[in-house]
Amino acid sequence: MILTADIDGQLTFILQRRGKFSHQRMAPAYYPGVCQLTMMGKVEKGEDPLTTFWRELKEELGGDFAGYLRNCFDEGSLKPVATKEDCLVYHQHLTKDLLAFHLKNSIRLEPCTGGLEFVPKNQLKNIVDLKNYPDGADWSGVIAMFPDDLAVLL
């Protein structure tokens, strides 16, 4: 899922940065510091992509925010923008005030996240495409993304 917001008059993409440690694997994270879509995850056995979407949303951004987006989905403002393999990619646009409200009250990031990055649309061209880079580097100071995620933004 990708969140966007109007921040200081600019369309801004909200990305999630990978942390340095994976609590799921109890080991150092792969590609620490790399940015991804706001929320993403893999389909588990017995799940369909939409069930995965709601589960991952709750896990990565918190149950309260998932509830808010469920209402957006029901009202039709949470829209599908792409399909990646067996995953759905949805988009939700927030006003600056609504984003500030949810950051303060309902968005709860996982412990293993590296935080959120706010990237204005005119800066998307500066994102580093990881297709030619091996794992091992720390990308904390640079906005770098996997090619499939970057393709969704462009």
Side-chain angles (χ1 to χ4, degrees):
M1 181 192 67
I2 186 70
L3 288 175
T4 59
D6 284 316
I7 299 176
D8 298 328
Q10 293 190 51
L11 177 64
T12 301
F13 291 79
I14 303 166
L15 306 177
Q16 189 169 167
R17 197 174 276 282
R18 294 174 80 132
K20 295 183 180 201
F21 189 79
S22 169
H23 288 83
Q24 293 170 330
R25 295 184 314 104
M26 295 306 290
Y30 297 120
Y31 291 93
V34 166
C35 289
Q36 296 176 272
L37 301 178
T38 313
M39 182 279 304
M40 62 185 307
K42 294 192 181 217
V43 177
E44 293 182 355
K45 187 177 180 178
E47 283 184 334
D48 60 72
L50 192 56
T51 301
T52 298
F53 175 82
W54 295 116
R55 177 183 53 76
E56 288 285 348
L57 181 60
K58 186 175 180 182
E59 289 174 7
E60 291 193 26
L61 298 177
D64 290 344
F65 192 65
Y68 165 75
L69 287 179
R70 181 58 155 195
N71 289 336
C72 293
F73 179 82
D74 292 343
E75 294 168 2
S77 65
L78 179 63
K79 300 182 186 308
V81 292
T83 302
K84 291 176 17 178
E85 299 169 18
D86 57 354
C87 294
L88 302 171
V89 180
Y90 280 87
H91 170 249
Q92 180 65 42
H93 185 75
L94 303 172
T95 64
K96 182 179 179 179
D97 291 341
L98 195 54
L99 174 63
F101 172 82
H102 285 294
L103 285 172
K104 182 179 178 184
N105 298 296
S106 67
I107 293 176
R108 300 290 177 256
L109 299 174
E110 287 185 301
C112 62
T113 186
L116 298 175
E117 289 288 336
F118 300 84
V119 182
K121 184 177 181 178
N122 66 358
Q123 296 298 312
L124 293 179
K125 63 185 177 294
N126 298 329
I127 295 175
V128 174
D129 185 335
L130 287 175
K131 69 181 172 191
N132 296 318
Y133 293 92
D135 187 16
D138 184 344
W139 293 95
S140 298
V142 176
I143 296 182
M145 295 182 79
F146 296 107
D148 55 340
D149 287 345
L150 188 54
V152 171
L153 300 182
L154 303 176

